[in-house]
Structures are given as C-alpha cells and as structure tokens.
Amino acid sequence: MIERYFKPIMDHKMDLQERTFRLVTGFTITALVLMLLGGLITGENTESLLLLSGCIVLVMLTTAVCISRKQTHTGAALVALFLLIFFFLNFFASGGMYGGTPLWLAFFFVYVNLTLQGVRRLIFLGGCVSATVLCYYVDYLHPEYIIAHTINVAHMDSAVAVILVGSLTGAMILFQNYIYQEETRITNEQKREIQELSEAENHFFSSMSHEIRTPINTIIGLNEMILRSDVSDEVAENAKNIQGASKMLLTIINDILDMSKIESGKMDIVNVSYETGVFFSDIINMIWIKAQEKDLQFHLDIDSSIPSQLCGDEVRIKQILVNLLTNAIKYTSEGSVTLSVRCERRGVNRVRVYYSVQDTGLGVKQEDIPHLFSAFKRIDEEKNRYIEGTGLGLSIVKQLVDLMDGEINVNSVYTKGTTFLVTLDQDIIEEKELGTFTLESRGKLAAGYSINRALKRQKHIF
C-alpha cells in the first residue's frame, strides 16, 4: 500500500503537482501519526489526542479519495483546511504557546506553499496568519481558555514538535530537490535529443535538396531543348507542362534548402555593391510576365532619388521581393500588383529603403495576420486549396529580413487586398541618383550597364 502510494512520485510522466501533493501529504500523515504516538508517550491530554486522531483519519480518507478520482488540487485544499482547523483547536488543547502547536502552524505555511496554487494559496496563507494572530491574542489576554501543560509535558511536546517539523521539512526539501533535479536532467536530455534530431533533419533536407536539384535542372535543360525544336503542338504542350511542373518542384526544393539553412544558422548575409537600376530590371523581368499570364496590371513606382549604387545582400533582397511579388500575383485573380520603392537618408553614407508590394487580391483576415510568417502555414485553406505552394515563402522572407536587421509589416483588408512593407538600411556606394525608372526604361538601362561592364573589363585587361 505504501509502495503503491509513493511509487508515482518518482514517475516523471505524472503531473508534478500531483507528485508534490502525494509527497508532502504522505510525510505530513507520517508526522501526525508519530505526533500521536509521542503524545501517548508524553502523557498529552485526551482532548488533544482525540483532535489529532480525527485529523489523521480525515486527512487519510480525503487523500485516498482525491487521488483515486484524480482531483489532487481539491484534495490539497481540503487537507489544508483540516490541518488549519486542527492546529487552531489544538493550540488551545495542548498548552498554547508553551506547547508544540506553534511549530506546526509554521509548518502549515510550508505545506500550503508546496501544494496549493493561485488564489487558494493566498486564501490559506491569509487564514493561517489570521489563525496564528488570534491564537496568540487569546493566549495573551485570556490564558484561562488554554488547557495548560505541566512543565515536563510542555518541554517534551515542544521537543517532539521541533524534531518532527524539522525532519519533515528537511525531508520534503530533499525530495523536492531530487524531483526537480530529475526533471531538469530529463528536460536537458530531451533538449539534446531534439537538437540532434533537428540537426539530422536539416542535414537530410540539405543533402536531399542538393541531390534532387541536379536531375531537376537536367530535366529543365533537356525540356528547354525540346521546346526550341520543331515539334508537334501536342509534344510542345506536354513539354510546357513538364517545364511548369519542374520549375515548381525546383522552387519548393529551394525553399526547403533555404529554410534548413536558416534554421541551422548557416544562412549568411553577404553585402556587396550593386546597381539599383539593374537590380530592379532583373526583378521586373522575372515578375511582369507572370502578371501578364493572369491578365493582371503590373504597376511600378520607383523613387527617382534612390542612389544608383548601394551596398547590401543583393541576392537575398531580390529573393525577398520576388517572393512577395510572386505571392501577390498568386493570390490575385483580377486587378493589379504594385511594386513601390522609396528611400530616406539616414546619414552621410546611409539610406533606408522602403519596399512596398501591394495587390488587389484575396486579402487576409486580421486574426490570421500573426500566422502569415509561420512555416508550412496556409491561411484560409478552403479558398486557397487550388493555389500551389508549400507555405514556406513568407516564413523565409521574414527570417531573411530579420537576418538583415530589417522590418516587415503587413496591412490587409479581407477580400480587398494586401500590402507588405519591407524596410532595410543599406550603405550608399554611388551618390548619383537613379532617376526615372519605368517598365519601358528598364531594358535600355540594363543594356547600358552590360556595355559599361564590358568596357571596364576590357580596360582592365589592357
């Protein structure tokens, strides 16, 4: 019976509060039984012994019933109530302040703090303080209400109380420490196992992505040759389907690889000098065709005062904007997608760039906005079930922005559209302003930049 009661205390799978209740209440019952035996030996008065016997029976029955019904919180409160009533009455029945009860009142504070929580704990602590004050008040003003001890019984009662309360408190502290140390050890082991599993998972995704990308790129290359050949309409149609599926698969693989790099801390931000005009041209060349395929208008609003040359991670900034623009096109069935860029000077050689991507698509409910950047999370699954994607894109965008110490904000009206605003600080390499940049001018600018690069390379050779 005793083994069956105490065995769950060592089971870390059991609720910690129930384990603590079993431990502390079990020790308390043991101490009360020893207190009863000590009272019989020392010649304690009948009233005190009867009160103690009744308290032991009530505590044992309450503990057994509440554990069997898995209501340990209620059991702890009931046991605390019985103990408080017993200690209060026993104070008057066993010598008052010259007996052992004051020490048991002190022990009651320990019991309440270990077994109760929240409001119940505060109520019982307040009750114990009130009961203690009342006991000493009555003992001081009306000592006639106290059943006095003889000097011998008072000394023995006090000594027994000191030994029992001290031993009980010390044992509970030792067992509590043991339980918490075991919990800490198990938590650390689980943490280490999770970390090892995460590292193995990231290694697997990284290896898998690298291994799959090679044949996928081969398929895309060979399929491109078929599309450029003189083939029948049926073969061309199949080749286009293969091309679309292959590119989608490659995008998914790249997203998984990026996510595994970010989670493993291997994603590095590499700041380089880049031409802003060519940067925007590259992005638009990748995006505007996708907008045309869905009969969407693609608007461009680039601040003419942006420096023509900046220093930042061109590849990752481009990835952020392409992801946001692709996402906007994907979730917009009619209307337009707009890319707006403006800048703000932050110092002599520093600029803050604001990239805004706005669409007239499905929009996002306000309660769903906090979940937009969660990995593998698809918002409004019922409406978006036919839209392809892994749910990784926005999560990658958020983490890339964080890696560059930037900010990303979302403003959306459900069924009306969404606006993403990315803010990044970058260094100025060339003070010359970009000037007017439109969809029509981007081709000339890119061509001019290619010629300039060729001339610089030729000059360097000679």
Side-chain angles (χ1 to χ4, degrees):
M1 182 70 180
I2 295 176
E3 182 183 358
R4 184 181 175 185
Y5 178 88
F6 282 100
K7 188 175 180 180
I9 294 173
M10 303 302 176
D11 184 4
H12 70 275
K13 295 180 181 179
M14 182 172 284
D15 179 63
L16 183 59
Q17 195 64 27
E18 180 176 344
R19 295 166 66 190
T20 303
F21 171 71
R22 284 174 176 260
L23 173 68
V24 177
T25 306
F27 274 120
T28 302
I29 293 171
T30 304
L32 290 175
V33 171
L34 292 175
M35 184 179 173
L36 178 63
L37 294 176
L40 291 171
I41 295 171
T42 59
E44 186 65 73
N45 59 65
T46 306
E47 291 85 349
S48 178
L49 294 176
L50 287 174
L51 282 172
L52 181 54
S53 299
C55 180
I56 292 171
V57 172
L58 283 174
V59 170
M60 290 180 69
L61 287 174
T62 301
T63 303
V65 171
C66 289
I67 287 177
S68 65
R69 295 184 178 181
K70 299 186 181 301
Q71 296 180 345
T72 51
H73 293 281
T74 302
L78 289 173
V79 170
L81 178 62
F82 296 147
L83 290 176
L84 181 59
I85 294 172
F86 165 69
F87 292 145
F88 178 76
L89 295 176
N90 196 56
F91 182 88
F92 300 99
S94 60
M97 62 180 293
Y98 298 105
T101 305
L103 287 170
W104 287 105
L105 284 170
F107 166 76
F108 183 79
F109 283 96
V110 178
Y111 182 88
V112 168
N113 279 302
L114 288 176
T115 59
L116 298 179
Q117 294 178 328
V119 178
R120 289 181 178 180
R121 177 189 291 169
L122 295 176
I123 291 173
F124 276 98
L125 288 176
C128 188
V129 170
S130 301
T132 303
V133 170
L134 181 59
C135 286
Y136 275 82
Y137 178 79
V138 172
D139 194 340
Y140 178 72
L141 293 180
H142 301 282
E144 65 273 14
Y145 294 152
I146 307 296
I147 300 176
H149 273 158
T150 63
I151 294 177
N152 290 338
V153 172
H155 279 78
M156 293 181 68
D157 187 20
S158 181
V160 169
V162 169
I163 293 170
L164 288 177
V165 171
S167 301
L168 177 60
T169 305
M172 287 193 302
I173 292 173
L174 286 174
F175 270 87
Q176 281 289 103
N177 286 340
Y178 171 78
I179 289 174
Y180 281 114
Q181 286 172 2
E182 279 295 296
E183 287 292 319
T184 302
R185 182 185 63 80
I186 292 169
T187 301
N188 289 335
E189 286 183 359
Q190 290 175 342
K191 184 179 179 181
R192 179 177 54 79
E193 289 173 0
I194 291 171
Q195 187 174 359
E196 290 177 354
L197 180 62
S198 178
E199 290 176 357
E201 181 184 274
N202 289 331
H203 178 71
F204 167 75
F205 279 132
S206 179
S207 300
M208 180 194 71
S209 300
H210 279 298
E211 292 298 325
I212 294 177
R213 279 202 297 185
T214 300
I216 290 294
N217 282 322
T218 304
I219 292 171
I220 292 173
L222 293 173
N223 192 71
E224 188 68 29
M225 293 176 66
I226 294 174
L227 287 171
R228 293 179 183 180
S229 303
D230 186 14
V231 294
S232 65
D233 293 340
E234 184 180 355
V235 172
E237 182 66 25
N238 291 335
K240 287 180 181 179
N241 292 334
I242 292 171
Q243 184 185 51
S246 299
K247 287 184 177 180
M248 175 57 65
L249 181 57
L250 189 59
T251 300
I252 293 171
I253 292 168
N254 287 333
D255 283 348
I256 294 173
L257 182 58
D258 283 341
M259 182 59 71
S260 66
K261 280 184 179 180
I262 292 171
E263 290 185 348
S264 62
K266 295 179 180 178
M267 177 67 77
D268 296 323
I269 298 301
V270 182
N271 293 322
V272 296
S273 171
Y274 68 93
E275 298 280 344
T276 53
V278 176
F279 170 81
F280 293 129
S281 295
D282 290 343
I283 292 173
I284 294 163
N285 289 336
M286 286 186 278
I287 294 301
W288 77 277
I289 295 178
K290 293 182 180 179
Q292 279 192 335
E293 288 174 350
K294 291 190 68 175
D295 293 327
L296 300 175
Q297 297 179 33
F298 183 74
H299 300 304
L300 195 60
D301 182 15
I302 307 294
D303 189 350
S304 60
S305 66
I306 291 178
S308 60
Q309 221 175 33
L310 293 175
C311 182
D313 194 328
E314 178 188 10
V315 173
R316 296 307 171 190
I317 300 173
K318 191 180 296 183
Q319 183 178 358
I320 289 170
L321 295 180
V322 169
N323 266 337
L324 291 177
L325 289 165
T326 302
N327 203 64
I329 293 170
K330 189 189 300 182
Y331 290 96
T332 302
S333 56
E334 59 181 15
S336 63
V337 173
T338 304
L339 170 63
S340 302
V341 184
R342 65 182 182 86
C343 73
E344 178 183 288
R345 288 295 181 113
R346 306 295 294 178
V348 179
N349 295 312
R350 194 77 168 162
V351 68
R352 177 164 292 177
V353 185
Y354 300 88
Y355 306 92
S356 171
V357 175
Q358 183 178 6
D359 65 62
T360 58
L362 297 173
V364 182
K365 296 176 182 176
Q366 289 299 312
E367 61 269 23
D368 289 332
I369 288 179
H371 306 294
L372 273 177
F373 301 109
S374 300
F376 301 104
K377 180 75 174 180
R378 296 290 297 276
I379 304 299
D380 208 345
E381 286 280 2
E382 186 176 347
K383 280 193 174 185
N384 301 330
R385 62 185 182 275
Y386 298 115
I387 297 176
E388 296 175 322
T390 60
L392 285 175
L394 289 179
S395 176
I396 293 171
V397 165
K398 177 68 168 66
Q399 295 189 65
L400 287 176
V401 171
D402 289 342
L403 284 173
M404 288 186 279
D405 297 323
E407 292 182 8
I408 181 167
N409 296 293
V410 186
N411 184 24
S412 185
V413 178
Y414 191 56
T415 72
K416 299 294 183 182
T418 305
T419 300
F420 286 89
L421 178 63
V422 175
T423 307
L424 297 173
D425 286 350
Q426 298 173 63
D427 291 327
I428 300 172
I429 301 300
E430 176 58 60
E431 287 285 352
K432 181 183 175 183
E433 294 182 354
L434 173 64
T436 304
F437 186 94
T438 62
L439 287 172
E440 292 75 21
S441 67
R442 75 183 191 281
K444 296 178 182 178
L445 193 148
Y449 178 68
S450 299
I451 294 171
N452 288 335
R453 279 207 305 182
L455 289 173
K456 286 180 181 179
R457 192 182 301 113
Q458 189 175 23
K459 187 183 293 182
H460 178 72
I461 293 171
F462 289 104

